[in-house]
Amino acid sequence: MRISDRTVESILQNSGISQEQIESYKEQGKNERKPLQDIALSSNAISEHELTVAYSEIIDIPYTDIDVKNLDKESLHLIPERIARQYNVVVIGVDDNARKILAMDDPDDIQAISFLQKELGNDVRIFMATRTNILQAIDQYRENISSEITEVISAEQEEDEKAEDFDQADIAEDSPISQTVNLLVEGAIKAGASDIHIEPRESYVSVRYRIDGILREVNKLPKNAQGALVSRIKI
C-alpha cells in the first residue's frame, strides 16, 4: 500500500499529530528521500493498523482483521502462493452468494484486481488488511517450517548420532541438508529474526533465532547432520 503524502498528512492531522511535528516528518522524508508514510510509521506517529483503517475509510473499502489461525485453507488455495505474494492478496473466504472474499493491502492496484478477476471471476468482494496481517495469512500456505525441517533432515540419515562423515552429495543443491538450510533462512525472514544461531550440543544441534533482541530456540537437528550443515552454510 502506497499512500500519497497529502493523504498521509491529512490522516496524521486527524490523529491529533501537531502540524509542527508533521512538518518535521516531511523534512525528514525529504532528507532521506522517503515518503511521509514510511517516516510516520518508523517514527511511531501512527501504527500500521491505524493508518490502514484510516485509509480504508477514505477510499471506501471495508477493513478486515484476518483471523490467521482459523483461516479457511480451501479458500486460501483458490489462488497460488506465488500470486498471493506477488500482489499481497489472499482469499479469506467465500460468502453465501459464492463471492470470493479478498483481503488486499493495496486495493488501488488495478492490475492486481484485473488479474484476480480473470482467475476467480468478476464476482469478488475486496477488503483491506494490513500488509503484516496479509503476510501472516500467506505463510499459511506452507506447513509449519519446523515440521518441514524435521522431514527433510531425517531423510536417509544414519541412526548413529556420532557419525559425522559426509560426501559432496550430502550438501548438493537438492540434498536434505540444502533444503534444511533454505528453510532455516526462510523461517528467520518470516519471523523477522536478525540472527540465526546454529549451536552444537552434546546430542543435537540447536537452532535459535534472535527476535527483538531475544534468542529463541526454534528447532533441534540431529547431531549427525552437524558436519554437512556447517559445510553447506560455508558454501
Side-chain angles (χ1 to χ4, degrees):
M1 175 182 64
R2 179 56 63 200
I3 308 174
S4 70
D5 285 2
R6 180 177 297 180
T7 300
V8 173
E9 181 173 355
S10 176
I11 291 172
L12 292 176
Q13 290 170 340
N14 292 334
S15 299
I17 307 298
S18 69
Q19 190 60 40
E20 181 181 2
Q21 186 62 67
I22 293 173
E23 293 301 325
S24 175
Y25 292 146
K26 289 166 69 175
E27 184 64 24
Q28 181 181 347
K30 182 178 179 181
N31 293 335
E32 297 180 10
R33 297 183 179 180
K34 293 181 179 179
L36 182 57
Q37 174 182 346
D38 291 353
I39 300 299
L41 289 172
S42 63
S43 301
N44 294 319
I46 191 169
S47 70
E48 181 187 22
H49 175 268
E50 291 169 334
L51 183 63
T52 306
V53 170
Y55 187 59
S56 73
E57 293 173 352
I58 290 173
I59 63 175
D60 198 27
I61 297 291
Y63 173 85
T64 186
D65 283 312
I66 304 171
D67 184 356
V68 175
K69 291 183 179 179
N70 297 312
L71 193 60
D72 180 7
K73 298 295 180 66
E74 185 175 344
S75 297
L76 184 71
H77 284 84
L78 288 174
I79 58 174
E81 180 183 358
R82 62 180 180 81
I83 299 300
R85 291 193 183 278
Q86 180 179 349
Y87 293 117
N88 290 318
V89 58
V90 286
V91 182
I92 59 175
V94 179
D95 68 15
D96 294 337
N97 296 317
R99 291 181 297 179
K100 283 75 174 181
I101 303 172
L102 307 180
M104 307 179 67
D105 78 327
D106 186 8
D108 291 330
D109 189 341
I110 304 302
Q111 179 182 356
I113 293 174
S114 176
F115 178 85
L116 291 166
Q117 286 177 332
K118 289 179 182 178
E119 291 288 308
L120 301 170
N122 291 325
D123 204 7
V124 298
R125 293 174 60 195
I126 298 175
F127 287 78
M128 278 198 76
T130 64
R131 180 181 180 84
T132 298
N133 198 195
I134 289 171
L135 291 177
Q136 290 171 338
I138 291 175
D139 285 345
Q140 301 309 303
Y141 274 94
R142 308 197 65 176
E143 297 296 329
N144 182 273
I145 284 182
S146 293
S147 298
E148 292 188 53
I149 290 174
T150 300
E151 181 179 345
V152 298
I153 199 68
S154 62
E156 301 179 4
Q157 289 284 349
E158 295 293 334
E159 292 184 1
D160 183 5
E161 292 185 347
K162 296 183 180 180
E164 297 287 342
D165 295 333
F166 61 91
D167 55 31
Q168 291 301 310
D170 292 326
I171 56 176
E173 290 292 336
D174 58 350
S175 68
I177 286 293
S178 294
Q179 294 176 53
T180 297
V181 172
N182 291 343
L183 286 168
L184 289 176
V185 174
E186 180 181 338
I189 292 170
K190 290 180 176 179
S194 60
D195 305 71
I196 303 174
H197 289 245
I198 299 175
E199 304 166 349
R201 305 295 191 193
E202 184 175 350
S203 59
Y204 64 92
V205 177
S206 172
V207 179
R208 297 195 291 171
Y209 292 164
R210 187 184 299 280
I211 303 172
D212 296 329
I214 301 173
L215 280 171
R216 311 170 192 271
E217 186 169 77
V218 295
N219 214 287
K220 293 181 180 180
L221 305 180
K223 182 68 174 177
N224 61 336
Q226 179 179 316
L229 189 67
V230 171
S231 293
R232 180 60 200 173
I233 291 172
K234 287 180 179 180
I235 291 175

